[in-house]
Amino acid sequence: MTDQKNGQEYLSFVLEKLQARLAEISQSLLDGQKEIENMHDYYWQNYTEMDQYGYEDYDNQQALLHQVNANQEQLLLRSRFRKMLDSPFFGRVDFRYDGDDEPEIFYIGIGNFAERPGELPLIYDWRSPVSGLFYDFDRGPASYLAPGGEMTGEICSKWQYKIRDGKMIYGFESDVKIDDDILKAELGSNGEVQLKNIIRTIQKEQNAIIRTSPKTNIIVQGVAGSGKPTVAMHRISYILYNYEDKFRPEDFYIVGSNRILLNYITGVLPDLDVHGVRQMTMEQL
């Protein structure tokens, strides 16, 4: 485990940056809430004097809606970053692009994280194109499909980590596949009351289903207990992340035989950063 120290150092670095971003978001939320209160006060103090055509009234409503939406986005971001404090990343891929001398290092976690919006991520979302390298390839030639086309190169190293409560439990270099003991530990026992996310342990065959284009109709067959609903929930999360300009959560329906089953299946969605997906029983359909 020669990279254990590097993984630990990077964990400490990322946790520090996460705490700083969370402090900024909390302050932004306070400022945003104060702005909303000021807008309400201004409206009630001046609404009788606003122009007769309602332009000023409309502008005030739009400004209020914009601030409310901005606050909601910040709340979701804060929720995601707080989850990442527990385990900022679970994987790492050292990928040398064709024509380059040195590999680029990609740490993979439950969501994207950068010091500032728009900057190069310190952690890459498991649903991002480059993260497919972690699930689909071992050391050697590899490629992934980016918005600009196919990116080819070589995986020089691939690492897996387990982090809990912000502390490194272990880190090891993985040449072949996710260790079976780790897979069993991550999936948990059959007595769980809801499905768990499997982003740390997605297998190559599951990843192919999850990342299939939404333009393609697919039927997934498997024996009981093979993880079909879990893969389906991760596919919804993947589509909403990568095709946000084409799909909204309300565009999806999850249909099950009864409400208990639906609650069991969809319990994993908030953990996958998915909110607002509709569900119905067969009877309702």
Side-chain angles (χ1 to χ4, degrees):
M1 295 190 182
T2 57
D3 194 68
Q4 181 77 14
K5 182 179 180 182
N6 289 339
Q8 180 61 60
E9 289 176 352
Y10 199 73
L11 173 60
S12 300
F13 168 75
V14 168
L15 287 174
E16 182 180 332
K17 299 301 181 183
L18 272 169
Q19 292 283 12
R21 275 296 300 278
L22 281 167
E24 292 174 1
I25 290 172
S26 294
Q27 185 58 52
S28 175
L29 283 167
L30 288 173
D31 295 341
Q33 187 58 42
K34 185 64 176 177
E35 185 66 22
I36 289 173
E37 293 171 2
N38 290 339
M39 288 180 185
H40 280 301
D41 290 342
Y42 175 83
Y43 179 82
W44 289 113
Q45 291 171 12
N46 297 279
Y47 78 96
T48 57
E49 300 175 8
M50 292 181 181
D51 61 273
Q52 60 176 320
Y53 298 106
Y55 297 132
E56 188 177 2
D57 185 19
Y58 176 79
D59 288 344
N60 274 277
Q61 289 183 34
Q62 290 302 303
L64 177 61
L65 181 62
H66 175 77
Q67 187 60 59
V68 169
N69 288 338
N71 273 23
Q72 186 62 34
E73 290 177 5
Q74 292 288 291
L75 282 169
L76 291 174
L77 203 59
R78 185 172 69 175
S79 174
R80 183 192 308 157
F81 289 164
R82 282 177 172 173
K83 288 180 184 177
M84 292 182 76
L85 284 176
D86 175 65
S87 179
F89 55 86
F90 55 83
R92 167 182 155 178
V93 175
D94 297 9
F95 185 66
R96 183 171 61 237
Y97 290 95
D98 286 342
D100 288 355
D101 295 327
E102 297 295 328
E104 287 194 36
I105 297 175
F106 301 98
Y107 283 88
I108 300 162
I110 64 170
N112 263 14
F113 173 68
E115 260 190 276
R116 295 285 182 275
E119 291 187 357
L120 195 67
L122 300 174
I123 307 293
Y124 286 81
D125 193 294
W126 68 275
R127 298 163 291 188
S128 65
V130 73
S131 296
L133 294 170
F134 178 76
Y135 298 114
D136 289 337
F137 298 95
D138 300 309
R139 186 192 294 260
S143 64
Y144 67 93
L145 191 61
E150 187 179 30
M151 310 300 290
T152 58
E154 177 188 9
I155 292 180
C156 304
S157 181
K158 190 172 83 169
W159 286 78
Q160 296 177 49
Y161 302 96
K162 182 167 185 176
I163 301 168
R164 289 292 180 270
D165 298 323
K167 295 180 174 59
M168 180 74 70
I169 308 300
Y170 56 69
F172 67 95
E173 190 169 13
S174 170
D175 286 333
V176 183
K177 65 181 180 64
I178 293 169
D179 184 80
D180 286 340
D181 290 336
I182 293 171
L183 180 63
K184 292 173 184 176
E186 290 292 338
L187 291 177
S189 66
N190 293 329
E192 299 264 344
V193 295
Q194 67 177 46
L195 299 186
K196 297 177 67 175
N197 83 62
I198 58 168
I199 58 175
R200 295 169 178 80
T201 56
I202 292 171
Q203 304 297 285
K204 185 176 181 178
E205 294 80 4
Q206 295 172 323
N207 197 45
I209 297 168
I210 291 168
R211 293 176 183 258
T212 297
S213 167
K215 297 179 182 178
T216 303
N217 294 323
I218 60 173
I219 297 175
V220 180
Q221 292 179 300
V223 299
S226 59
K228 298 182 296 295
T230 306
V231 170
M233 299 305 103
H234 285 66
R235 176 161 169 75
I236 291 173
S237 179
Y238 171 81
I239 291 173
L240 288 172
Y241 179 85
N242 286 279
Y243 300 89
E244 60 179 349
D245 58 328
K246 294 182 174 63
F247 295 97
R248 301 170 301 165
E250 310 88 70
D251 295 329
F252 290 84
Y253 272 106
I254 299 172
V255 182
S257 57
N258 58 68
R259 183 58 56 183
I260 295 174
L261 176 64
L262 285 172
N263 290 340
Y264 170 78
I265 292 173
T266 59
V268 73
L269 285 175
D271 198 33
L272 294 172
D273 207 21
V274 175
H275 307 272
V277 170
R278 293 183 285 188
Q279 48 181 273
M280 63 171 66
T281 63
M282 289 295 294
E283 184 179 14
Q284 290 172 317
L285 177 64

